Amino acid sequence: MPIHSDHPPVAFKAHLTSSISPGANQRIIFDDVQLNTGNAYHRHLGGFLAPLNGTYLFSVSVCSDGGHYIVLDLMKNAGLIGRVLAGDSVYNDCSSDTSIVELNAGDEVYVQHHASSGDYVNAHQNILNSFTGVLLQIL
């Protein structure tokens, strides 16, 4: 398959700047956008809208305080494509999930709280909860 060079690269990285106790199925808004090449990540929605049909890689990193835990779902439109769990009865705990998925132009990828599993996402200057994505190949 030929490589298409007539499009700009697509990549984003966003952080969560405040600790939250999300409600059931609440979308997580990663509000501190560090990179948004191609402008496909929409901070006000907390979601990525695929500009092109292609294969994309997404990663979610999350942390929770000792005595708490959190479960976050990586969603494509309304379907589950990944899940991350962080938490411990005593210590602060962080975890991540990476997924590769084929998207059609206009598909949305976002992170949401899994039903009501867990209660706390810990964010401060030494902890980076992040949501990243990159176009790997046009289809």
Side-chain angles (χ1 to χ4, degrees):
M1 175 177 267
I3 297 174
H4 300 271
S5 60
D6 57 344
H7 72 87
V10 177
F12 76 94
K13 181 177 183 179
H15 295 148
L16 183 68
T17 59
S18 299
S19 297
I20 59 171
S21 294
N25 299 314
Q26 177 181 330
R27 187 178 289 216
I28 308 301
I29 306 295
F30 293 82
D31 57 324
D32 181 20
V33 180
Q34 301 288 306
L35 174 72
N36 197 9
T37 305
N39 297 314
Y41 180 74
H42 299 275
R43 185 175 84 85
H44 62 283
L45 296 174
F48 172 83
L49 295 175
L52 303 162
N53 295 348
T55 304
Y56 292 80
L57 180 140
F58 295 95
S59 181
V60 178
S61 296
V62 65
C63 299
S64 194
D65 269 349
H68 296 274
Y69 77 100
I70 193 72
V71 180
L72 299 181
D73 292 335
L74 181 63
M75 306 294 291
K76 170 187 167 186
N77 301 320
L80 179 70
I81 58 173
R83 182 169 287 151
V84 61
L85 161 68
D88 186 85
S89 60
V90 177
Y91 301 103
N92 291 353
D93 183 57
C94 299
S95 189
S96 64
D97 178 66
T98 301
S99 297
I100 296 176
V101 63
E102 288 185 5
L103 300 178
N104 293 318
D107 282 345
E108 183 182 24
V109 176
Y110 57 96
V111 178
Q112 74 177 20
H113 184 211
H114 176 73
S116 58
S117 295
D119 63 348
Y120 189 69
V121 177
N122 183 14
H124 63 72
Q125 64 187 12
N126 296 323
I127 294 178
L128 293 179
N129 298 285
S130 64
F131 179 31
T132 62
V134 63
L135 171 63
L136 298 175
Q137 180 179 358
I138 294 177
L139 298 177

